[in-house]
Amino acid sequence: MTVGVGDSSKAEASRYGLQQRGWCAFCRMMVRIFYRRREAVGIEKIPAEGPVLLCANHPNALVDPIIIQALCPRIIHPLARSGLFDHALARPFLKILQAVPIYRRQDAGADTNRNIESFARCYELLACGEVLLIFPEGQSHSDSRLRTIRTGAARLALGSIAASGVAPTVLPVGLTFGNKGRFRSSVFLAVGEPVELASIPSETPDDAVRRITRLIEIGLGDVTLNADSIEDIYLSRRLERFFALRRGRHRRGTLEQRFRALKKLIESQRILRAREPGEVDALSRRLRQFERLCDHFRVRDYQLTVNYSPAIVTRFVLRTLLGLLVGVPIAIWGAINSAIPLVLTGWFASRLAKGSQEYDTARMALALAMFLVTWGIQAAAVFWFFGGIAASLYLVSLPPATAAAVIMYREKDRIVENIKGFFLFLRKTSLRDQLLARREELEKELARMARLVKRQSD
């Protein structure tokens, strides 16, 4: 249970503790719903007790603290821009979380002098052994690399030591999204190594702030992709996918493995662009040409080396028929009963979100309300016409049926592309050989560039 601070009564602390645990459960539920794959590494670095300052990158607006809370074992108190406390919907949640307002110069009407109160509040929370979350970049963005790291996190950590003698554990936290804005995509969270806060003899306070800020920046760089451009990230993702599918099957691996592979590919690109920029551009063009060729024939890369033997085809047909017989009726029921809240969520989110940065936030905030209200009205109608037992059974059926609809929707694409690929290669027997030849040429080129990177790195 979270301990109250300041002059809060024990009853109030108990009430807030219960509400905060409810908030944690809500975050976990929303992240499970919105992200098909979610993975966190380094969580064990967060102490089970004692003051902690989490310093995270900020790629996805208000979704970021929800994900961090969902994957973190302790209750988190975020630092949030003061304007959010004026929003009727956000204010109750911020109060439950004992969030701390930050007054920024760029926010209209913000009184930056009030940050003195905010920092004092942070020192109180840290003195009570709480976990604070700060976004040192200052604002959410979709850039390919970290923005300039502000000094607030370093000042907060050093200020806590000066105010109460309490040195918080300062941890960099990186969030990486597989496909930001897409429902049922993936999110990866990495917690880096603690930042060293020990003072250096003869170091001035300002020097200490700059040194720790730099250490936080380095730590965040280690747990984020941090590429030089969006094009570098795009090319790295295509290369990672190219290698993952080279054996004719999609090697899922863990999100951590994919993240490490992308980091390595981005660093290799950085080396090559510095010394052989033409090589990287040529590789990018050839990859695009190969992908466009596959898109033209509507062939997925992994299909090129699938062995369409009678046994494999038979297993695929039986598995597909079983899925259709069992899954489709349930999925249809889920789709029918979820159509209205899904459409309303998308419609309102696209109008309420101020740019792409807030679209996921708007959808996450609206989805639960839309589904609860719509399903509640539908259940009331069932109760009115058929009675309480029918209404109860109806409500129980909705979550699994909706999940089945999402799964079947994604499975539909896989089934269709495999059937099309089978008949395409059956009709055009030489096409696969031609595409494989193109792919082998690319593999040789990639191997040559890998050797070039290795020589230049030595």
Side-chain angles (χ1 to χ4, degrees):
M1 181 179 294
T2 299
V3 180
V5 298
D7 298 326
S8 299
S9 66
K10 291 183 179 180
E12 184 180 16
S14 177
R15 175 168 58 85
Y16 273 127
L18 182 62
Q19 291 173 342
Q20 287 167 357
R21 286 195 295 273
W23 167 254
C24 292
F26 168 79
C27 291
R28 288 191 291 269
M29 179 184 68
M30 296 307 292
V31 169
R32 288 193 183 103
I33 291 172
F34 274 82
Y35 296 97
R36 182 172 60 92
R37 298 187 68 189
R38 56 222 169 259
E39 188 177 312
V41 298
I43 292 295
E44 71 282 355
K45 297 171 187 173
I46 301 176
E49 58 184 21
V52 178
L53 179 61
L54 301 178
C55 304
N57 65 322
H58 206 1
N60 209 1
L62 295 180
V63 170
D64 296 338
I66 292 175
I67 292 171
I68 294 172
Q69 180 62 86
L71 300 177
C72 179
R74 296 179 60 183
I75 292 171
I76 292 171
H77 308 286
L79 278 68
R81 60 182 177 86
S82 58
L84 289 175
F85 291 79
D86 296 328
H87 287 255
L89 290 176
R91 188 166 53 246
F93 295 105
L94 294 172
K95 183 177 180 181
I96 289 172
L97 293 173
Q98 295 177 300
V100 181
I102 296 298
Y103 301 87
R104 307 182 305 178
R105 291 187 180 88
Q106 63 266 39
D107 296 335
D111 182 5
T112 56
N113 291 324
R114 297 191 64 182
N115 283 327
I116 296 174
E117 303 171 21
S118 297
F119 268 59
R121 175 65 168 166
C122 290
Y123 300 151
E124 288 184 61
L125 288 167
L126 291 173
C128 290
E130 301 291 344
V131 180
L132 297 185
L133 170 63
I134 187 170
F135 297 101
E137 294 172 282
Q139 61 184 21
S140 181
H141 64 87
S142 293
D143 296 350
S144 62
R145 62 182 304 112
L146 293 169
R147 290 190 175 180
T148 302
I149 301 301
R150 311 289 181 88
T151 60
R155 294 183 186 279
L156 186 56
L158 293 173
S160 175
I161 297 173
S164 58
V166 175
T169 301
V170 179
L171 294 168
V173 177
L175 287 170
T176 303
F177 292 86
N179 194 341
K180 192 170 68 171
R182 182 179 178 183
F183 181 62
R184 301 299 290 171
S185 58
S186 64
V187 61
F188 173 66
L189 181 147
V191 179
E193 297 299 325
V195 173
E196 179 59 56
L197 297 179
S199 60
I200 297 176
S202 73
E203 186 179 47
T204 67
D206 287 342
D207 288 340
V209 167
R210 284 191 289 269
R211 176 177 57 83
I212 293 173
T213 299
R214 176 56 181 161
L215 292 175
I216 292 172
E217 182 178 35
I218 293 171
L220 279 173
D222 289 339
V223 294
T224 57
L225 293 179
N226 215 31
D228 292 333
S229 67
I230 294 294
E231 173 60 27
D232 283 355
I233 291 181
Y234 178 63
L235 177 58
S236 296
R237 289 191 184 280
R238 286 186 295 148
L239 287 170
E240 189 273 336
R241 185 170 63 251
F242 185 91
F243 284 119
L245 298 173
R246 68 186 301 178
R247 300 184 186 277
R249 60 186 176 86
H250 183 47
R251 300 182 305 180
R252 290 170 62 91
T254 65
L255 294 180
E256 181 184 12
Q257 289 170 336
R258 296 182 66 182
F259 174 79
R260 298 302 173 197
L262 287 171
K263 286 278 287 184
K264 188 173 182 179
L265 286 166
I266 288 170
E267 183 56 32
S268 297
Q269 282 186 76
R270 187 173 286 122
I271 294 172
L272 281 176
R273 283 194 184 277
R275 303 185 182 182
E276 302 286 347
E279 296 278 359
V280 179
D281 293 337
L283 174 62
S284 181
R285 284 195 301 271
R286 295 186 67 182
L287 268 174
R288 286 181 185 275
Q289 289 170 359
F290 177 74
E291 289 176 344
R292 282 198 295 267
L293 190 59
C294 290
D295 289 341
H296 174 74
F297 291 105
R298 297 185 178 180
V299 173
R300 290 288 297 275
D301 201 3
Y302 75 90
Q303 293 174 295
L304 295 180
T305 51
V306 172
N307 178 20
Y308 290 104
S309 65
I312 289 178
V313 172
T314 300
R315 284 200 300 270
F316 172 77
V317 171
L318 292 176
R319 186 173 63 247
T320 301
L321 289 176
L322 181 63
L324 292 174
L325 290 173
V326 176
V328 168
I330 300 174
I332 291 175
W333 176 251
I336 291 172
N337 288 281
S338 301
I340 294 176
L342 279 174
V343 170
L344 289 176
T345 297
W347 190 87
F348 279 108
S350 63
R351 283 154 180 79
L352 293 177
K354 298 177 180 177
S356 60
Q357 287 302 310
E358 297 185 4
Y359 184 66
D360 277 9
T361 302
R363 284 204 308 173
M364 195 170 285
L366 290 167
L368 184 64
M370 291 297 175
F371 272 88
L372 289 178
V373 171
T374 305
W375 283 357
I377 293 173
Q378 293 170 180
V382 173
F383 176 82
W384 180 266
F385 288 104
F386 302 103
I389 295 177
S392 299
L393 292 174
Y394 173 76
L395 280 174
V396 169
S397 74
L398 292 180
T402 302
V406 172
I407 293 171
M408 288 304 299
Y409 179 79
R410 297 181 65 89
E411 191 70 6
K412 168 184 67 69
D413 295 334
R414 188 188 66 83
I415 292 171
V416 170
E417 72 185 18
N418 275 287
I419 292 174
K420 286 182 176 179
F422 172 74
F423 284 106
L424 175 67
F425 293 141
L426 199 64
R427 287 185 293 107
K428 300 183 178 183
T429 54
S430 63
L431 177 61
R432 180 192 290 187
D433 293 336
Q434 293 173 8
L435 291 175
L436 279 173
R438 289 284 192 97
R439 182 182 178 85
E440 287 172 3
E441 290 175 5
L442 271 173
E443 288 182 346
K444 291 178 181 177
E445 180 66 16
L446 288 169
R448 187 185 69 81
M449 294 186 69
R451 290 192 297 270
L452 180 61
V453 170
K454 186 176 180 180
R455 285 199 304 270
Q456 294 181 346
S457 299
D458 293 339

